Amino acid sequence: MPTLDYSQTYSCPLCLRGEIRAFPLMDAFGCDFCRHIFSANLEEQVLDLADGQVPRRWYRKGNQWITKDQETFWGYGLFGLILIILPTAIVALGAYCFPPLPNSPLSWLPKLWVVLTLIFHLIFLSWLASLYFQFPFASYFRLFQERFHLVNFRDDNNH
Ligand SMILES: [Zn+2]
């Protein structure tokens, strides 16, 4: 039973907030909130992200979107863990095997270096994750701004 067709609107699988509907005369869906574009394969009942840097794919199950790239996701997750643990472990091992002389002026530096290695690799991984998920931070920020302005406008009318 096909559930995906161009005459209907669906919730957006990416931002989980907007609605996607087909563009007139085009075989593509667009989201009214995050403004991403999706291409659909009606025979296979799958939806592809058309304008992302990383390929994402979903299929329709009841009223929900199920992601098709679970395996890729775990592959990236494992890669991310290694990316954080390995450099930190190497730096920590160096600091442990070659400890600084006690009471030397920079004896705190190796510990700080280990912490900085961990923090910067976490930041790098978060950046990669935000690329993968394409989370629409800008759209949510715009929504927040609009709400804020609406609230202010309403307050002005009341007083
Ligand atoms: Zn969306």
Side-chain angles (χ1 to χ4, degrees), residues 79-91:
F79 171 74
L81 268 182
I82 292 171
L83 192 72
I84 288 177
I85 291 171
L86 195 65
T88 312
I90 291 172
V91 173

Side-chain angles (χ1 to χ4, degrees), residues 6-66:
Y6 289 115
S7 62
Q8 295 182 53
T9 61
Y10 305 92
S11 61
C12 176
L14 197 64
C15 64
L16 309 173
R17 182 175 181 95
E19 280 196 327
I20 58 170
R21 69 190 75 234
F23 291 114
L25 306 175
M26 278 176 75
D27 291 345
F29 287 95
C31 175
D32 60 2
F33 184 69
C34 65
R35 315 232 185 272
H36 274 292
I37 296 168
F38 304 87
S39 62
N41 183 333
L42 296 188
E43 280 149 41
E44 293 177 34
Q45 289 287 301
V46 291
L47 192 71
D48 285 297
L49 180 64
D51 60 351
Q53 284 136 322
V54 182
R56 303 282 315 267
R57 172 170 276 203
W58 299 268
Y59 66 96
R60 196 91 183 139
K61 191 175 185 185
N63 281 327
Q64 281 186 314
W65 290 110
I66 310 288

Side-chain angles (χ1 to χ4, degrees), residues 11-148:
S11 61
C12 176
L14 197 64
C15 64
L16 309 173
R17 182 175 181 95
E19 280 196 327
I20 58 170
R21 69 190 75 234
F23 291 114
L25 306 175
M26 278 176 75
D27 291 345
F29 287 95
C31 175
D32 60 2
F33 184 69
C34 65
R35 315 232 185 272
H36 274 292
I37 296 168
F38 304 87
S39 62
N41 183 333
L42 296 188
E43 280 149 41
E44 293 177 34
Q45 289 287 301
V46 291
L47 192 71
D48 285 297
L49 180 64
D51 60 351
Q53 284 136 322
V54 182
R56 303 282 315 267
R57 172 170 276 203
W58 299 268
Y59 66 96
R60 196 91 183 139
K61 191 175 185 185
N63 281 327
Q64 281 186 314
W65 290 110
I66 310 288
T67 180
K68 274 224 161 186
D69 38 27
Q70 216 65 262
E71 282 166 30
T72 344
F73 177 74
W74 289 117
Y76 281 126
L78 191 68
F79 171 74
L81 268 182
I82 292 171
L83 192 72
I84 288 177
I85 291 171
L86 195 65
T88 312
I90 291 172
V91 173
L93 192 69
Y96 179 77
C97 293
F98 306 101
L101 295 173
N103 302 323
S104 63
L106 289 174
S107 60
W108 47 267
L109 188 64
K111 280 177 195 155
L112 177 75
W113 202 252
V114 172
V115 174
L116 284 180
T117 307
L118 180 68
I119 290 173
F120 277 97
H121 282 84
L122 271 175
I123 291 172
F124 181 56
L125 188 72
S126 329
W127 173 71
L128 283 181
S130 74
L131 275 188
Y132 176 76
F133 287 108
Q134 303 273 311
F135 191 77
F137 287 110
S139 301
Y140 273 90
F141 183 69
R142 201 178 60 232
L143 179 81
F144 174 76
Q145 269 185 323
E146 279 166 15
R147 289 234 169 119
F148 184 73

